[in-house]
DNA sequence: CTGAAAGCGCTTACAG
DNA sequence: CTGAAAGCGCTTACAG
């Protein structure tokens, strides 16, 4: 492997100059720079990242943490962030929590992240009280996406979950529904993420605005997946008279709900209306009514929010938080309740 | 930041011994190891990865390259690989080609991968003639998943694409279809991946076994996405009399086909049958007939295939290739052709 | 089983 | 604008 000394020798300069020239620092004369570039090209020289990192103190890598990889929202955020990050010359280390508390602990309380990256992107990652200290101790710039838990001093890129839930619920209420169920994420314990809490809040808020007291029997918690939506809907049907409409906190949950309703002999939307949140790629195929959120934009903006402080050597001010707009997309899974 | 010298001083040993004790090397006495462990714990010491990498020559990181992140197959492979890799203590650097030749070139012909990882996982990554030299020059153990292009000396984890296509086509033929269209990936140029070629081959093979000569007008190329399936189907309808059945090379393409057929006023399966490959999470919701392939298992096994050579210091023999089984899953999107 | 010393391959003040 | 030298924080023969 050719090293910096080889290039220095061939170009007839010091290694310090090679280092400067190759990194594009301004304090190198045009002539010298050209000589170095040519020597490097001729030898096929590429600096060792490990050596650069050790000497320079920067890893040029960012850790992206997601609760799952496959769901539409997360994979879309990662895809968008990946593009922006690589374009800016940063490596992307991917960490999946997979819903396992063990993985979460490993990430926060072992050497997993220690000096491995220059910045952190936490996507819908739940943090309990003591976890903030662990995150802060890393001393890195960071950003949260789709507020798992807001980290003090970090910007957050997200949608207004309360408003999104309000829009979905309002759509069902305006159609005439009064017996509306909600399928959402777990918002009971310390690790609940604000997304779940906010979507439930928006739902209940609209209900109360119509003089309806939220019925605990019509509120089921599940994971943000098709399987979660299936299970929650089965539970709902088990509890007695089905609702006339279901507001699911994600499109994947909504699709699971539709599948289970149909298997139970109920028609959508004739017997039960279903609305989700996301505007998943397949929602158009399924004809699912939903509140669309811009996932790719969130990934892109989150990466962008990191690049500022990263370029500013970690000292610059944190980027501002941003709240992106959502939009009701009416398709075929919602309709007025049956007249009977 | 505490460094190895601090630990050595506190434990009353040399840094060499600290290094050995912390990494669990056998050549350290029990008593010494305990003293070192305690000192390290007391100081909250974690070795600098950059320093370890430079001194040790190993990065303990693996690069995973995918053509896209969001599609079901790729996100599922990545999720499974991530779990296995992190469990084994390796970082996962994610690279998305995104269908861009520029990204592909950057990955292969710049410093992107150089000395950054100890191994490579190429998922459905197309390689042209000269690219093999670029990959080989990295001198790393590797594995391909879902054969983009087989790399000499690397194991490949995949399904039998010819057999999967045969099973799908046979299902349609057995139902009585004779006018069957195929929507597949681009298999025309040098960068075509074997998946596309093999699925088309299995399709044509079965057709010919029934005495049917494949009709170019019923063969459309597209990307492996819902949008791709939509576009291809629109093109198919534009070309004249619709087929009575469509074999799409992926479930996402199949879903796009279904959406476009319905928008054109055609019923599925009454007017047109549609079958895919994958068994995507939502295929059950949509009622899509498909040839199921185990995506998570492929990701897991590919990671496993890397861990062998990785532990063997990169010299051990390559892991064996593996071909996983597929399975026809009949749902509601396929039926006999109309009698008329 | 343990230590002194060299080495991994860069970058960064410092001096000029 | 450029160079000599120290330093980044580990691991690895080598010797004992």
């Amino acid at each position: 492997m050719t090293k910096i000394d080889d290039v220095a020798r061939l170009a007839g300069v010091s290694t310090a100059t090679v280092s400067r020239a190759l990194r594009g620092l301004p304090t190198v004369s045009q002539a010298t720079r050209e000589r170095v570039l040519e020597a490097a090209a001729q030898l096929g020289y590429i600096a060792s990242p490990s050596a650069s990192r050790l000497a320079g103190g920067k890893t040029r890598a960012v850790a992206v943490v997601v609760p799952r990889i496959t769901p539409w929202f997360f994979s879309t955020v990662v895809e968008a962030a990946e593009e922006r990050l690589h374009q800016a010359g940063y490596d992307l280390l991917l960490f999946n929590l997979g819903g396992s508390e063990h993985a979460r602990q490993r990430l926060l309380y072992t050497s997993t992240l220690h000096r491995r990256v220059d910045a952190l992107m936490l996507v819908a990652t739940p943090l309990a009280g003591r976890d903030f200290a662990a995150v802060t101790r890393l001393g890195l710039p960071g950003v949260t996406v789709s507020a798992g838990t807001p980290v003090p001093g970090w910007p957050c890129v997200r949608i207004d979950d309360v408003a999104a839930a309000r829009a979905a619920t309002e759509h069902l209420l305006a159609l005439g529904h009064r017996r509306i169920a909600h399928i959402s994420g777990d918002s009971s314990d310390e690790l609940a993420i604000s997304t779940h809490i906010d979507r439930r809040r928006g739902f209940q808020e609209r209900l109360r605005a119509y003089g309806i007291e939220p019925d605990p029997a019509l509120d089921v918690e599940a994971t943000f997946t098709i399987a979660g939506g299936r299970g929650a809907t089965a539970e709902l049907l088990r509890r007695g008279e089905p609702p006339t409409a279901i507001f699911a906190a994600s499109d994947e949950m909504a699709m699971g709900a539709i599948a289970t309703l149909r298997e139970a002999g109920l028609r959508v939307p004739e017997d039960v209306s279903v609305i989700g949140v996301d505007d998943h790629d397949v929602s158009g195929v399924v004809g699912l009514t939903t509140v669309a959120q811009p996932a790719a934009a969130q990934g892109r903006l989150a990466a962008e929010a990191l690049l500022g402080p990263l370029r500013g050597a970690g000292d610059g001010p944190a980027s501002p938080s941003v709240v992106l707009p959502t939009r009701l997309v009416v398709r075929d899974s919602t309709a007025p309740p049956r007249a009977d």
Side-chain angles (χ1 to χ4, degrees), chain A residues 243-334:
Chain A
T244 68
I246 296 178
F247 163 43
S250 85
D251 278 3
E252 274 147 314
M253 287 168 146
M255 289 187 238
I258 291 175
T260 296
L261 289 169
R262 288 198 177 132
E263 285 165 16
L266 293 164
R267 292 163 303 165
V268 176
E270 293 82 354
D271 298 320
V272 183
S273 284
V274 176
I275 187 171
V277 176
D278 274 347
D279 202 20
H280 187 295
D281 283 333
V282 306
S283 298
V285 176
V286 180
L288 179 66
T289 295
T290 189
V291 177
Q293 70 164 321
Q298 290 178 71
R300 209 177 306 120
L301 289 171
E304 210 67 64
L306 251 26
L307 292 175
L310 243 22
R311 288 187 183 118
D315 53 339
S319 309
S321 287
V322 11
V323 177
L324 269 46
T326 56
R327 181 179 101 260
L328 178 69
V329 179
V330 180
R331 296 202 180 93
D332 312 320
S333 67
T334 49

Side-chain angles (χ1 to χ4, degrees), chain A residues 171-229:
Chain A
H171 172 65
L172 297 174
L173 287 163
L175 284 171
H177 293 279
R178 291 301 177 266
R179 190 173 160 68
I180 306 175
H182 181 43
I183 301 179
S184 85
D186 187 347
S187 62
S188 61
D189 72 352
E190 201 194 11
L191 287 177
I193 68 173
S194 63
T195 312
H196 304 172
I197 298 170
D198 288 352
R199 292 188 187 169
R200 168 168 290 113
R201 186 191 306 161
F203 167 69
Q204 298 187 339
E205 223 176 275
R206 268 338 319 179
L207 244 40
R208 293 205 173 95
Y210 274 69
I212 303 169
E213 189 51 30
D215 178 355
L218 293 179
D219 195 320
V220 194
E221 298 184 343
T223 61
F224 269 55
T225 60
I226 292 178

